Amino acid sequence: MQSLQPSVAFFDSGIGGLTVLAACKKQINAPFYYYGDNAYAPYGNRSVLEIRGRVFSAFTLFEKMRVQAAVVACNTATTVCIDELRQRFSFPVVGTEPAVRTAAKRGGEIFVLTTRATYESLRFKTLCKRLSDEYPNANIRPFACKRLAGDIERNLLKEGYDCTSLLPKGKPAAVVLGCTHYVYMQSQIQAYYDCPTYDGNDGVARRLRGAFNDLAAARRDGQPLLTPDVLSPKTAPVFFLGSSKAYNEHVYEQMFVEK
Ligand code: DGL
């Protein structure tokens, strides 16, 4: 399968990455491919070796499809293997990381909700340490929400679904949604804590546009990849890949397509 237009592949353990795709779709009108590894979700409680293997097999498929760029629309996979992916694959790879900086700037107690694998990763610990030093007025408190992503993966479309019993207790000044699955529950989490919440999805969209601009600059003919007709209107298709494509497409239609 060869892509004729600039195309982007998105990867997540399951439905979470659709929240990233939807944010990117508002800014970029290229064809998007979505690969959710739902049969193995949640990744957060799996080993680094297992996660790495699953992500690499999806990226090998993206390479065969000759996509122009790929988004790891998963904080967990980003913390586990983003550097290795960038070394191994020749197309730009954009990662998703918890928006701790944005929240830390405001100061006060900042809850950072993540999966267990993200919580335990050196990359995430280093990020929290660096930002605690940089913003001494912020008390950055990471939490491993071991059951939250899996619960959202299974129950998102059930009527009256409520995830708040799985949230850590407290009165934070702000909450960072450090897993793309949590973004679906943003308004519920915001209401539960009665404070602002932050996710990294708009940041991913900005970096993806940046990656396209870099690719265009590197082209000899000087033609931009993101021409105005590629950028708008927002009509480009989304294609679903993998064994759970029907479920992901259904969730995408329910949550993001205007009826
Ligand atoms: N949505 C993913 C993340 O951003 C992974 C959740 C999971 O599978 O545990 O971390």
Side-chain angles (χ1 to χ4, degrees), residues 12-13 16-17 41-45 73-76 115 118 149 178-181:
D12 182 46
S13 64
Y43 274 13
N45 300 326
C74 172
N75 295 262
T76 307
T115 66
T118 298
C179 165
T180 54
H181 280 71

Side-chain angles (χ1 to χ4, degrees), residues 62-80:
F62 299 161
E63 185 178 50
K64 285 195 190 126
M65 292 165 57
R66 306 185 62 169
V67 298
Q68 265 78 40
V71 175
V72 185
C74 172
N75 295 262
T76 307
T78 301
T79 56
V80 165

Side-chain angles (χ1 to χ4, degrees), residues 142-181:
F143 289 91
C145 304
K146 293 185 187 139
R147 288 171 48 212
L148 188 53
D151 204 65
I152 296 169
E153 176 79 25
R154 285 187 303 275
N155 299 314
L156 178 68
L157 297 182
K158 292 190 184 146
E159 198 158 333
Y161 171 56
D162 184 337
C163 73
T164 54
S165 65
L166 300 177
L167 298 175
K169 305 277 175 286
K171 276 246 151 256
V175 174
V176 177
L177 307 175
C179 165
T180 54
H181 280 71

